Amino acid sequence: MKKLINQPEQVVDEMLEGIIAAHPEKLKRLPGLNVVVRKEAPIKGKVGLISGGGSGHEPAHAGFVGENMLDAAVAGEVFTSPTPDQILETIKAVDGGKGVLLIVKNYSGDVMNFDMAAEMAQAEGIEVEQVIVKDDIAVDIKEDRRGVAGTIFVHKIAGTAASEGKSLKEVAQIARKTAENICSMGVSLSPSTVPASGKPGFTLNDNEIEIGTGIHGEQGMERQSLKPADQLTEEIMNNILHEMEFSPGEEAAVITNGLGSTPLMELYIVHRKAAELLKNKQIQLKKSLVGEYMTSLEMAGCSITILKLDDQLKSYLN
Amino acid sequence: MKKLINQPEQVVDEMLEGIIAAHPEKLKRLPGLNVVVRKEAPIKGKVGLISGGGSGHEPAHAGFVGENMLDAAVAGEVFTSPTPDQILETIKAVDGGKGVLLIVKNYSGDVMNFDMAAEMAQAEGIEVEQVIVKDDIAVDIKEDRRGVAGTIFVHKIAGTAASEGKSLKEVAQIARKTAENICSMGVSLSPSTVPASGKPGFTLNDNEIEIGTGIHGEQGMERQSLKPADQLTEEIMNNILHEMEFSPGEEAAVITNGLGSTPLMELYIVHRKAAELLKNKQIQLKKSLVGEYMTSLEMAGCSITILKLDDQLKSYLN
Amino acid sequence: MQLTVEALQRWIINTNEKMQENKGYLSELDQAIGDGDHGHNMARGFQEVVNKIEGNSFEEAGSLFKQVAMTLISKVGGAAGPLYGTAFLKASDEWKEKTTIDQEALGKGMEAAIAGIKTRGKAQEGDKTMLDVWGPIHAYVTTQPLQREKLKKTAKEAMEKTKEMTAKKGRAAYFGERSAEHVDPGAYSSYLVFEALAESITNEGDANG
Amino acid sequence: MQLTVEALQRWIINTNEKMQENKGYLSELDQAIGDGDHGHNMARGFQEVVNKIEGNSFEEAGSLFKQVAMTLISKVGGAAGPLYGTAFLKASDEWKEKTTIDQEALGKGMEAAIAGIKTRGKAQEGDKTMLDVWGPIHAYVTTQPLQREKLKKTAKEAMEKTKEMTAKKGRAAYFGERSAEHVDPGAYSSYLVFEALAESITNEGDANG
Ligand SMILES: Nc1ncnc2c1ncn2[C@@H]1O[C@H](COP(=O)(O)OP(=O)(O)O)[C@@H](O)[C@H]1O
Ligand SMILES: Nc1ncnc2c1ncn2[C@@H]1O[C@H](COP(=O)(O)OP(=O)(O)O)[C@@H](O)[C@H]1O
Ligand SMILES: [Mg+2]
Ligand SMILES: [Mg+2]
Ligand SMILES: [Mg+2]
Ligand SMILES: [Mg+2]
């Protein structure tokens, strides 16, 4: 394991220190907790927005704390959901009197920990709503789908809605609508290594790739041999578009997301093909995000996320 | 070689297509050339700003084309300087009558190709100035130093100066002052593979790192065994600060730059230590950039860049 | 059988020792059908529990297990944290004010714990989770006189049975039928919990005492 | 010796064939003390040159070499592109209007080419670059009657000598003294250029013709 770290037990703490050292004018850390909060929080009259999950997905989630985005992010250990006590303190720290929305990715650990925190906060009289993101179509059963890079769209759209002063009910409703209109799928070319374990999460042969791998290295749909980027992109896009109903002329936003060690050059090559395929189907590409948004440490590969837009979602995305 | 590409000969062209597909409202490509230009270019009354070099350093350079930054970027083949004819066309495309500044990294290929283009443009009556960035202190002799991540600061500061309507002479002078106040140094944990060759540029043992490696895999200062991030950061910072004259209370901007496959988590761990060391020396950290700015395909490792600020540079950086 | 508060405390300390010893193995099990952190999660959480309770003496079982539960909830994380935490929290409610736990009280505590796990995790027995150890142990505790070796055997067999099951809940569910060649890591950590319980019973003298 | 425009054209076509054949080897040399693209750069550039000149017939040497130079400049890139491009551009100036090149004209063309390389690259002979082949060849061409095998030998020896040199210019300079175990890639590609020239001379019949 060749990593720029000190002690594996310290990676999350030291990373958060680094984030604060980089942006002391915008961010603060809740004392003693693995939580990054906007410096202005709590903001009166604005719904508080919290996301979080295991670490190792940077820039998710602390990287999305800021104006028109999140008020706070809770960081668990690497690939491990954060605990309810940390989430509860975060809720308290961002509640400006208008309630708090929790943006949760659909993993049993995240769901349970955020649930417990929401119950505790509600018991203390804070209004809390949750939106569960389930965008990874590599999992068959809809209810069991994992939350992956599409979560970024929920951060952004709910963030703008909250900034406009919308109520908790309204922000939650927009966030849920966003989540329901997102499909994602990834492909992995090489595994990542959790610092504490020191061993790669899975193994792939020299010429092997895995379609549908999750962002913690969860099993995907199938192993294949390496193929040209265009072919791979087409396969992923077909899977996604098969799940979504698009009529000619409708609009979409796309994230071509790097999983950690795939060069931006390759992401643009993939994005080029994705854009071409949308065009062929007369789907209008209104917004593109190409880069690392939801990573899996140094995993190689990428994911494609499509958000189907309507006028409301589009206006909040920009 | 496991890459998300089609034909190795097509990577630059397809990447540029992807960039344009992602941002059609902001960027255009010069027909038939590997050049990305702001949609509004040429902008009357503004000095045109061009950067460029071999591909494989994404987001450099096309990723920095935009408001308050570059007007255009010229992309060579992977790790190969672009040719004078492409640069000449770019100069013509961004000259708004106030002349053009070329931001060049100090590699003999880049210097010669940009020189030739500048001569050709001057012969056609266009005013051209150049600034050569030589920030990589891993090379002993100052005149031979390579241009690496510090180039981003030159893009940004010259970009703001140009936007303010400053003359070519003024913008060039500010750009040169910036370049003279930048020192960078990198460490590599694993090599990158140029698509056309299919083989890693060098080899490192499982426990080996190389201090001072260039962004094309050029030989560094020495090979060492892997050590804790804090120790490594201290070594790099000492090397850099040894080259720069800082008095207590003076101000700095820092880029903690990922070389391609190093997770953001690790970059923040390094940045944390860099910030701490600056604090110990009573140097005020005024601006931090942490992420991938000047990469080397999927090389693992990072570089640290320090820019010494004065009031003028600081005002243009923000 | 009567377990004093001290014996219960030793149960937890003994559980921690087993988690530390089996940290690597538990994470390996989790690497096969999950994300490879279960051992680290359990070892981190139980170490904190022991840091909190060791040296302290508790008057009654309720406050001991509330402390255990709250520490697990705030230190384990992942799926295991809320589940083990909820389990011990529900048991602590049952054991409030009790200075000794007899077999009946043990059964009642486990019943509450299992109900807590089910509510929190929305899983059933047979879904290839820790429930597939807790369930059989509960059945044994409520129907037969407690014996150290029998308890161990029951836990072990239940844990081993999860190997054949297809996961329906938690990360292992993503592996679908391919999960059916591996023991569930949460079932294994629960087996360790009850192995430690069995050993506590012996420490009290006769297993039926 | 007299080289017709057609013979000169065959020289360039033959050079391209050598670049294609040695593409991998040239990049390997460059991988050792540079960035591993020299073979790809030269092969790409000379292929374009041949695409442009093959089939066309040129009236005189100047326009042929201007075409060669401009294509190299716009297709090779890196350090080699401007240097080879400038070299042939300067030579083309010398060879303007000439329908044959004799040994004297060859020497004058090379002199101009070398001056161009030096101005553009700011290098000297001994810096471990392509100049360390161009220099010795120029010396030979301007002092002795041209002979095919002798020309080849001179080029080969000059190329091999770069192995011992320490690089002072170009990417190899970063390797400092560690560059001194490897042949310079640009020297090797220049050796191929002159080997092809030698073979063109033979095609014209007697090497001294
Ligand atoms: N919904 C659930 N109900 C009961 N047990 C569950 C559930 N989800 C997961 N588990 C248990 O938790 C274990 C995994 O715990 P752990 O690895 O620590 O968390 P995570 O899956 O979040 O990484 C599984 O082996 C399983 O026994
Ligand atoms: N300043 C220079 N003067 C003369 N020749 C040079 C100079 N710099 C580089 N070269 C030659 O160019 C060769 C490298 O070319 P190439 O690999 O194509 O370009 P790059 O170094 O930009 O990747 C070197 O082997 C050397 O012979
Ligand atoms: Mg986990
Ligand atoms: Mg090169
Ligand atoms: Mg796990
Ligand atoms: Mg080269």
Side-chain angles (χ1 to χ4, degrees):
Chain A
M1 181 181 60
K2 235 181 194 179
K3 286 181 188 283
L4 291 172
I5 62 172
N6 296 298
Q7 297 303 315
E9 303 76 40
Q10 296 301 319
V11 292
V12 175
D13 179 63
E14 293 183 354
M15 166 184 77
L16 295 173
E17 278 186 32
I19 292 175
I20 302 298
H23 309 290
E25 72 295 351
K26 286 189 183 148
L27 302 174
K28 64 188 177 193
R29 182 166 172 185
L30 293 188
L33 300 177
N34 289 344
V35 178
V36 170
V37 180
R38 280 180 72 177
K39 207 142 191 198
E40 310 89 316
I43 301 170
K44 281 238 154 61
K46 189 184 99 63
V47 168
L49 239 67
I50 297 174
S51 186
S55 292
H57 306 301
E58 291 68 30
H61 302 86
F64 301 108
V65 176
E67 224 184 314
N68 292 325
M69 291 279 272
L70 305 177
D71 292 279
V74 196
E77 295 296 316
V78 178
F79 290 1
T80 300
S81 165
T83 55
D85 54 318
Q86 304 237 351
I87 303 168
L88 175 63
E89 290 308 316
T90 314
I91 293 173
K92 289 184 196 166
V94 305
D95 177 35
K98 249 189 140 168
V100 175
L101 176 69
L102 309 180
I103 300 171
V104 183
K105 294 187 298 310
N106 192 32
Y107 298 94
S108 39
D110 285 303
V111 169
M112 288 189 275
N113 284 291
F114 277 88
D115 261 355
M116 288 180 82
E119 288 161 17
M120 292 170 180
Q122 282 153 350
E124 298 191 25
I126 303 175
E127 252 194 299
V128 178
E129 291 271 352
Q130 295 190 64
V131 50
I132 314 283
V133 185
K134 319 176 180 181
D135 56 325
D136 188 352
I137 62 160
V139 177
D140 264 350
I141 305 167
K142 261 195 175 166
E143 280 316 292
D144 289 349
R145 286 185 177 166
R146 306 177 282 237
V148 291
T151 312
I152 304 316
F153 279 138
V154 181
H155 294 169
K156 180 70 189 157
I157 290 175
T160 314
S163 298
E164 284 191 354
K166 293 232 171 320
S167 72
L168 178 57
K169 283 256 136 56
E170 289 168 317
V171 176
Q173 181 258 318
I174 293 166
R176 282 187 198 117
K177 180 168 131 182
T178 307
E180 277 157 23
N181 281 286
I182 299 172
C183 288
S184 300
M185 197 165 154
V187 56
S188 164
L189 275 65
S190 75
S192 56
T193 297
V194 173
S197 96
K199 281 170 282 176
F202 54 93
T203 39
L204 282 171
N205 294 335
D206 271 2
N207 196 36
E208 212 178 24
I209 60 175
E210 184 165 310
I211 308 260
T213 314
I215 55 171
H216 311 90
E218 296 97 342
Q219 173 109 22
M221 298 194 327
E222 85 177 292
R223 295 203 168 185
Q224 305 183 345
S225 24
L226 183 63
K227 50 182 71 167
D230 280 3
Q231 212 175 312
L232 204 53
T233 306
E234 195 160 348
E235 207 165 301
I236 293 174
M237 287 290 286
N238 283 346
N239 276 311
I240 294 177
L241 291 174
H242 184 255
E243 285 280 328
M244 302 180 92
E245 276 164 37
F246 269 106
S247 315
E250 286 192 298
E251 299 177 335
V254 173
I255 307 174
T256 298
N257 173 59
L259 291 175
S261 63
T262 287
L264 200 45
M265 167 182 276
E266 298 175 29
L267 298 181
Y268 276 116
I269 291 173
V270 168
H271 191 73
R272 170 193 130 275
K273 186 65 184 179
E276 182 191 311
L277 294 168
L278 289 178
K279 203 172 184 182
N280 291 349
K281 293 212 186 283
Q282 290 171 270
I283 300 169
Q284 296 185 59
L285 176 55
K286 282 295 171 184
K287 177 124 198 151
S288 296
L289 304 181
V290 183
E292 294 183 348
Y293 293 88
M294 180 74 76
T295 61
S296 181
L297 294 169
E298 71 285 349
M299 189 184 284
C302 74
S303 65
I304 301 178
T305 294
I306 300 188
L307 165 65
K308 183 173 170 167
L309 294 170
D310 63 14
D311 288 343
Q312 188 194 34
L313 297 184
K314 192 168 66 168
S315 75
Y316 284 123
L317 190 58
N318 286 309
Chain B
M1 182 182 59
K2 234 181 195 180
K3 286 181 187 285
L4 291 171
I5 62 172
N6 297 297
Q7 296 303 315
E9 303 76 39
Q10 295 301 319
V11 291
V12 175
D13 178 64
E14 291 182 355
M15 165 183 77
L16 296 173
E17 278 185 32
I19 292 175
I20 302 299
H23 309 291
E25 71 296 350
K26 288 188 182 147
L27 302 174
K28 64 188 176 193
R29 183 167 172 185
L30 292 188
L33 300 176
N34 289 343
V35 177
V36 170
V37 180
R38 279 180 72 179
K39 208 140 191 198
E40 310 88 317
I43 300 170
K44 281 238 154 60
K46 189 185 100 61
V47 168
L49 239 67
I50 298 175
S51 186
S55 292
H57 306 301
E58 292 67 30
H61 301 85
F64 301 108
V65 175
E67 224 183 313
N68 293 324
M69 291 279 270
L70 305 176
D71 293 280
V74 196
E77 295 296 316
V78 177
F79 289 2
T80 300
S81 165
T83 55
D85 53 318
Q86 305 237 352
I87 304 169
L88 176 62
E89 291 308 316
T90 314
I91 294 173
K92 290 184 195 164
V94 305
D95 178 35
K98 251 191 137 166
V100 175
L101 176 69
L102 309 180
I103 300 170
V104 183
K105 293 187 299 311
N106 192 32
Y107 298 94
S108 38
D110 285 304
V111 170
M112 290 189 274
N113 285 291
F114 277 88
D115 261 354
M116 289 179 82
E119 289 161 16
M120 292 169 180
Q122 282 153 351
E124 298 191 23
I126 303 176
E127 253 195 299
V128 178
E129 291 271 353
Q130 296 190 63
V131 51
I132 314 283
V133 185
K134 319 175 179 181
D135 56 325
D136 188 352
I137 62 160
V139 177
D140 264 349
I141 305 166
K142 262 196 175 164
E143 280 316 293
D144 290 349
R145 286 185 177 165
R146 306 178 281 237
V148 291
T151 311
I152 304 317
F153 280 138
V154 182
H155 294 169
K156 179 71 189 158
I157 290 175
T160 314
S163 298
E164 284 190 356
K166 293 233 171 319
S167 73
L168 178 57
K169 284 253 134 61
E170 291 168 315
V171 176
Q173 181 258 317
I174 292 167
R176 281 185 199 119
K177 180 168 129 183
T178 307
E180 276 155 25
N181 282 286
I182 299 173
C183 288
S184 301
M185 196 166 156
V187 55
S188 164
L189 274 65
S190 76
S192 55
T193 297
V194 174
S197 96
K199 281 171 281 176
F202 54 94
T203 40
L204 282 171
N205 294 335
D206 271 2
N207 196 35
E208 212 177 24
I209 60 175
E210 184 164 312
I211 309 260
T213 314
I215 54 171
H216 313 88
E218 297 96 342
Q219 174 108 24
M221 297 193 327
E222 85 178 291
R223 295 203 168 185
Q224 306 184 343
S225 25
L226 183 63
K227 50 182 70 168
D230 280 3
Q231 213 175 310
L232 204 53
T233 306
E234 195 160 349
E235 208 166 299
I236 293 174
M237 288 289 287
N238 284 345
N239 276 311
I240 294 177
L241 290 174
H242 185 255
E243 286 280 327
M244 302 181 93
E245 277 165 36
F246 269 106
S247 313
E250 285 192 298
E251 300 178 333
V254 173
I255 307 174
T256 298
N257 173 60
L259 292 175
S261 63
T262 288
L264 201 45
M265 166 183 276
E266 298 175 30
L267 298 181
Y268 277 116
I269 291 174
V270 168
H271 191 72
R272 170 193 130 276
K273 186 65 183 179
E276 182 191 311
L277 294 168
L278 289 178
K279 203 172 184 184
N280 291 348
K281 293 213 186 278
Q282 290 169 269
I283 299 169
Q284 296 184 59
L285 176 55
K286 283 295 170 183
K287 178 126 199 150
S288 296
L289 304 180
V290 182
E292 294 184 347
Y293 292 89
M294 179 75 76
T295 62
S296 181
L297 294 169
E298 70 284 350
M299 190 184 283
C302 74
S303 66
I304 300 178
T305 294
I306 299 188
L307 165 64
K308 183 173 170 165
L309 293 170
D310 62 13
D311 288 344
Q312 188 194 34
L313 297 185
K314 193 168 65 169
S315 75
Y316 286 122
L317 190 57
N318 287 308
Chain C
M1 181 211 72
Q2 292 283 0
L3 288 167
T4 64
V5 176
E6 270 160 32
L8 292 166
Q9 201 163 342
R10 271 203 304 281
W11 168 27
I12 298 303
I13 291 169
N14 188 14
T15 300
N16 177 47
E17 279 160 17
K18 290 183 188 291
M19 294 300 168
Q20 304 305 328
E21 274 163 33
N22 290 280
K23 173 168 132 174
Y25 183 62
L26 286 169
S27 283
E28 256 173 52
L29 287 177
D30 195 32
Q31 191 137 32
I33 54 171
D35 58 352
D37 59 357
H38 188 59
H40 292 85
N41 294 346
M42 296 303 285
R44 182 178 56 241
F46 270 94
Q47 186 56 55
E48 284 289 335
V49 166
V50 166
N51 294 349
K52 285 252 168 70
I53 66 171
E54 218 172 23
N56 288 353
S57 76
F58 293 83
E59 308 254 302
E60 43 85 42
S63 55
L64 168 63
F65 281 96
K66 182 147 193 207
Q67 178 73 272
V68 169
M70 296 315 291
T71 309
L72 291 177
I73 288 171
S74 70
K75 294 298 170 188
V76 177
L83 291 169
Y84 275 107
T86 301
F88 283 111
L89 196 64
K90 296 295 178 187
S92 82
D93 265 357
E94 283 299 320
W95 296 341
K96 220 175 255 172
E97 315 283 317
K98 286 199 194 296
T99 51
T100 56
I101 302 291
D102 59 13
Q103 187 164 345
E104 194 191 336
L106 183 61
K108 285 221 167 111
M110 286 198 66
E111 191 176 318
I114 289 171
I117 297 175
K118 285 185 175 171
T119 313
R120 184 57 64 206
K122 301 191 178 65
Q124 298 300 320
E125 275 180 57
D127 287 355
K128 192 180 180 105
T129 70
M130 56 176 72
L131 276 175
D132 296 311
V133 169
W134 285 73
I137 296 290
H138 174 253
Y140 168 65
V141 166
T142 49
T143 54
Q144 295 178 45
L146 265 194
Q147 288 185 341
R148 178 177 167 261
E149 290 309 321
K150 193 82 195 292
L151 178 53
K152 281 196 184 184
K153 192 163 166 262
T154 308
K156 188 150 189 255
E157 282 172 4
M159 173 273 287
E160 281 166 350
K161 253 198 182 157
T162 64
K163 190 163 178 179
E164 297 135 38
M165 297 177 179
T166 300
K168 304 236 168 47
K169 284 286 164 187
R171 246 175 248 284
Y174 305 132
F175 290 75
E177 289 174 5
R178 283 159 299 185
S179 68
E181 291 153 40
H182 305 275
V183 168
D184 176 63
Y188 199 94
S189 60
S190 290
Y191 153 62
L192 295 175
V193 169
F194 294 113
E195 197 184 40
L197 175 64
E199 286 163 10
S200 289
I201 292 169
T202 320
N203 289 344
E204 289 304 284
D206 172 17
N208 296 321
Chain D
M1 181 211 72
Q2 292 283 2
L3 288 166
T4 64
V5 176
E6 269 161 32
L8 292 166
Q9 199 164 342
R10 271 203 305 280
W11 168 28
I12 298 304
I13 291 169
N14 188 13
T15 300
N16 178 47
E17 279 160 17
K18 290 183 188 292
M19 294 301 167
Q20 303 306 329
E21 274 162 32
N22 290 279
K23 172 168 133 173
Y25 183 63
L26 286 169
S27 283
E28 256 172 53
L29 287 176
D30 194 31
Q31 191 138 30
I33 55 170
D35 58 353
D37 59 356
H38 188 60
H40 292 85
N41 294 345
M42 297 302 286
R44 181 177 57 240
F46 270 94
Q47 186 57 54
E48 285 288 335
V49 166
V50 167
N51 294 348
K52 285 252 168 69
I53 66 171
E54 217 172 24
N56 288 352
S57 76
F58 294 83
E59 308 253 303
E60 43 84 42
S63 55
L64 168 63
F65 280 96
K66 180 146 193 208
Q67 177 74 270
V68 170
M70 296 315 290
T71 308
L72 290 177
I73 287 172
S74 71
K75 295 298 170 188
V76 176
L83 292 169
Y84 277 107
T86 301
F88 284 110
L89 196 64
K90 296 295 178 185
S92 81
D93 265 358
E94 283 299 319
W95 296 341
K96 221 176 254 171
E97 315 283 319
K98 286 200 195 294
T99 50
T100 56
I101 303 291
D102 59 14
Q103 187 164 346
E104 195 192 335
L106 184 61
K108 286 223 166 108
M110 285 198 66
E111 192 175 317
I114 290 170
I117 296 175
K118 285 185 175 171
T119 313
R120 183 57 65 206
K122 302 190 177 67
Q124 298 299 320
E125 276 179 54
D127 287 355
K128 192 180 179 105
T129 70
M130 55 176 73
L131 277 175
D132 295 311
V133 170
W134 286 73
I137 296 290
H138 174 252
Y140 168 65
V141 166
T142 49
T143 54
Q144 296 177 46
L146 265 193
Q147 289 185 342
R148 179 177 167 259
E149 290 309 321
K150 193 81 197 292
L151 177 54
K152 279 195 183 184
K153 193 163 167 260
T154 308
K156 188 150 190 254
E157 283 172 4
M159 172 273 286
E160 281 166 350
K161 254 200 181 155
T162 64
K163 189 163 178 178
E164 298 134 39
M165 298 177 179
T166 300
K168 303 235 168 47
K169 284 285 165 188
R171 244 173 250 283
Y174 305 131
F175 290 76
E177 289 174 6
R178 284 159 298 185
S179 67
E181 291 154 40
H182 305 274
V183 168
D184 175 63
Y188 200 94
S189 59
S190 290
Y191 153 62
L192 295 176
V193 169
F194 294 113
E195 197 185 42
L197 175 63
E199 287 163 10
S200 289
I201 291 169
T202 320
N203 291 343
E204 289 304 284
D206 171 19
N208 297 320

